[in-house]
Amino acid sequence: MASGLAAIALLAGCGSRDRAGREATAAVARHCATLADTPVALPGGTFLMGEDDVYREEGPARRVSVRGFRIDPHEVTNRQFAAFVAATGYVTVAEKPVDPRQFAMPRDRIPPNMLKPGSAVFRPPSTPSNDYRDWWQYLPGANWRRPYGPAGPADRPDEPVVHVAYADMLAYARWRGGRLPTEADWEYAAAAGAPSTRTQPTEANTWQGVFPSLNLDQDGFKGIAPVGCYKPNAFGLYDMIGNVWEMTSDFYAPGHDPAAPADDPHGPSAASVAGAGGVPTHVIKGGSYLCAPNYCQRYRSAAREGQDSGLGTTNIGFRLVYNRVPTARVIGRR
């Protein structure tokens, strides 16, 4: 957590804006289907993992194989996560006070708000800016129940759960009887037999316009969309591209290792990729509603970034994979 908290501490001086939550969703022109939670069984297969001509850290592309597995048809929703919390009494990282020892800086340099329970929230700036500190803010009181902060709207049941740290995802996975996908699992499922493409998709929740200040809202949503609003891929999976980034179990390195095993590959060891403060990051995949052609062309199956595992944000969620039929759980429908 230390590297992410130290970075986000720089944002603590950002002034609070009264737009919290207003741009969470636009007027919806799409029909959003009610989706089942039943995992989809995928056959094993071989595919080209990675991409060589967009961002350096996505290559080198190489052919790898994965065994068959089951995968959630959509991102884990607030409804599903609420059922887990109701059954277990679980409290997420963002709902707990912050231990100052998690920062890679002296305590007297830590802004007081950074020690309060909270998370990182995206706020579109009022004027164009290339400085991420103008659009990210550590907001006390932001968590999965209040994704836009205490003054914003409550969580919507069929939107992906956000503001969850890696430990929160693992706790949900243990309860559900699944696991976080490897990067290879995830990319195989997202590609669904098609090559990665640089074209901004029309059937995905991404940013149309000039990021971070002008969103033309051509896809129906300015913020997170409920699951089921866009067409599924060829495997029948929803929102593998766009909406929110999705966490994987692999540690992040800036590029693929061409010498790594090609059968059911896993990422590098934690010790080999430890970042600032000795904290490794995990690979996130798929891009989000904040990805735009002028800033973040991550709306591709091969796209990847590293994310601090101890800090949740307003644009990162997850889905699970299963090696066998998952544990039966009663998860209420809307």
Side-chain angles (χ1 to χ4, degrees), residues 258-280:
D263 293 333
D264 285 309
H266 291 257
S269 68
S272 69
V273 296
V279 179

Short mmCIF file of all heavy atoms in Angstrom, two decimals, residues 258-280:
data_model
loop_
_atom_site.label_atom_id
_atom_site.label_comp_id
_atom_site.label_asym_id
_atom_site.label_seq_id
_atom_site.Cartn_x
_atom_site.Cartn_y
_atom_site.Cartn_z
N PRO A 258 9.75 -13.12 -22.46
CA PRO A 258 9.66 -14.07 -23.58
C PRO A 258 10.16 -15.46 -23.21
O PRO A 258 9.85 -16.43 -23.91
CB PRO A 258 10.53 -13.43 -24.66
CG PRO A 258 11.46 -12.53 -23.93
CD PRO A 258 10.70 -12.04 -22.74
N ALA A 259 10.91 -15.58 -22.11
CA ALA A 259 11.44 -16.88 -21.70
C ALA A 259 10.54 -17.59 -20.69
O ALA A 259 10.84 -18.72 -20.28
CB ALA A 259 12.84 -16.70 -21.10
N ALA A 260 9.46 -16.96 -20.28
CA ALA A 260 8.56 -17.56 -19.30
C ALA A 260 7.82 -18.73 -19.93
O ALA A 260 7.65 -18.79 -21.15
CB ALA A 260 7.58 -16.52 -18.79
N PRO A 261 7.35 -19.68 -19.13
CA PRO A 261 6.59 -20.82 -19.67
C PRO A 261 5.40 -20.34 -20.48
O PRO A 261 4.75 -19.35 -20.14
CB PRO A 261 6.16 -21.57 -18.41
CG PRO A 261 7.16 -21.21 -17.38
CD PRO A 261 7.53 -19.78 -17.66
N ALA A 262 5.10 -21.06 -21.55
CA ALA A 262 4.00 -20.69 -22.43
C ALA A 262 2.69 -21.39 -22.07
O ALA A 262 1.64 -21.03 -22.59
CB ALA A 262 4.37 -21.01 -23.88
N ASP A 263 2.74 -22.38 -21.19
CA ASP A 263 1.53 -23.08 -20.77
C ASP A 263 1.07 -22.56 -19.41
O ASP A 263 1.83 -22.59 -18.43
CB ASP A 263 1.79 -24.59 -20.68
CG ASP A 263 2.07 -25.22 -22.04
OD1 ASP A 263 1.58 -24.68 -23.04
OD2 ASP A 263 2.78 -26.24 -22.08
N ASP A 264 -0.16 -22.05 -19.37
CA ASP A 264 -0.72 -21.47 -18.15
C ASP A 264 0.29 -20.56 -17.45
O ASP A 264 0.65 -20.77 -16.29
CB ASP A 264 -1.18 -22.57 -17.20
CG ASP A 264 -2.48 -23.22 -17.66
OD1 ASP A 264 -3.44 -22.48 -17.94
OD2 ASP A 264 -2.52 -24.45 -17.75
N PRO A 265 0.74 -19.52 -18.15
CA PRO A 265 1.78 -18.66 -17.56
C PRO A 265 1.27 -17.85 -16.38
O PRO A 265 0.10 -17.48 -16.31
CB PRO A 265 2.18 -17.75 -18.72
CG PRO A 265 0.95 -17.70 -19.59
CD PRO A 265 0.35 -19.07 -19.49
N HIS A 266 2.17 -17.59 -15.46
CA HIS A 266 1.92 -16.70 -14.33
C HIS A 266 2.93 -15.56 -14.42
O HIS A 266 3.96 -15.67 -15.07
CB HIS A 266 2.06 -17.43 -13.00
CG HIS A 266 0.98 -18.43 -12.75
ND1 HIS A 266 -0.08 -18.21 -11.90
CD2 HIS A 266 0.77 -19.67 -13.26
CE1 HIS A 266 -0.87 -19.25 -11.88
NE2 HIS A 266 -0.38 -20.16 -12.71
N GLY A 267 2.64 -14.48 -13.74
CA GLY A 267 3.53 -13.33 -13.76
C GLY A 267 4.79 -13.57 -12.95
O GLY A 267 5.00 -14.64 -12.37
N PRO A 268 5.65 -12.55 -12.86
CA PRO A 268 6.91 -12.67 -12.12
C PRO A 268 6.68 -12.77 -10.62
O PRO A 268 5.57 -12.53 -10.12
CB PRO A 268 7.65 -11.38 -12.49
CG PRO A 268 6.56 -10.42 -12.80
CD PRO A 268 5.48 -11.22 -13.45
N SER A 269 7.73 -13.09 -9.89
CA SER A 269 7.63 -13.17 -8.43
C SER A 269 7.54 -11.77 -7.84
O SER A 269 7.97 -10.78 -8.45
CB SER A 269 8.85 -13.88 -7.86
OG SER A 269 10.02 -13.09 -8.03
N ALA A 270 6.99 -11.70 -6.63
CA ALA A 270 6.88 -10.40 -5.95
C ALA A 270 8.24 -9.78 -5.71
O ALA A 270 8.43 -8.58 -5.89
CB ALA A 270 6.13 -10.58 -4.64
N ALA A 271 9.21 -10.61 -5.33
CA ALA A 271 10.54 -10.08 -5.01
C ALA A 271 11.22 -9.46 -6.22
O ALA A 271 11.98 -8.49 -6.09
CB ALA A 271 11.41 -11.19 -4.43
N SER A 272 10.93 -9.99 -7.41
CA SER A 272 11.61 -9.50 -8.60
C SER A 272 11.05 -8.20 -9.13
O SER A 272 11.67 -7.55 -9.98
CB SER A 272 11.56 -10.57 -9.70
OG SER A 272 10.22 -10.73 -10.19
N VAL A 273 9.89 -7.79 -8.67
CA VAL A 273 9.24 -6.60 -9.24
C VAL A 273 8.87 -5.58 -8.18
O VAL A 273 8.08 -4.66 -8.45
CB VAL A 273 7.97 -6.99 -10.04
CG1 VAL A 273 8.33 -7.83 -11.24
CG2 VAL A 273 6.96 -7.73 -9.15
N ALA A 274 9.38 -5.68 -6.95
CA ALA A 274 9.02 -4.74 -5.89
C ALA A 274 9.34 -3.32 -6.33
O ALA A 274 10.42 -3.02 -6.82
CB ALA A 274 9.77 -5.09 -4.61
N GLY A 275 8.36 -2.44 -6.14
CA GLY A 275 8.52 -1.05 -6.57
C GLY A 275 8.93 -0.16 -5.41
O GLY A 275 9.66 -0.57 -4.52
N ALA A 276 8.43 1.07 -5.44
CA ALA A 276 8.78 2.05 -4.39
C ALA A 276 8.37 1.51 -3.03
O ALA A 276 7.27 1.02 -2.84
CB ALA A 276 8.07 3.37 -4.68
N GLY A 277 9.29 1.61 -2.08
CA GLY A 277 9.01 1.12 -0.75
C GLY A 277 8.98 -0.39 -0.66
O GLY A 277 8.51 -0.95 0.34
N GLY A 278 9.45 -1.08 -1.70
CA GLY A 278 9.46 -2.53 -1.69
C GLY A 278 8.10 -3.16 -1.92
O GLY A 278 7.90 -4.34 -1.62
N VAL A 279 7.15 -2.41 -2.44
CA VAL A 279 5.78 -2.90 -2.62
C VAL A 279 5.54 -3.23 -4.09
O VAL A 279 5.57 -2.33 -4.94
CB VAL A 279 4.75 -1.86 -2.14
CG1 VAL A 279 3.33 -2.38 -2.35
CG2 VAL A 279 4.98 -1.51 -0.68
N PRO A 280 5.30 -4.49 -4.43
CA PRO A 280 4.99 -4.82 -5.83
C PRO A 280 3.57 -4.41 -6.19
O PRO A 280 2.71 -4.24 -5.31
CB PRO A 280 5.15 -6.34 -5.86
CG PRO A 280 4.81 -6.77 -4.47
CD PRO A 280 5.31 -5.67 -3.56
#
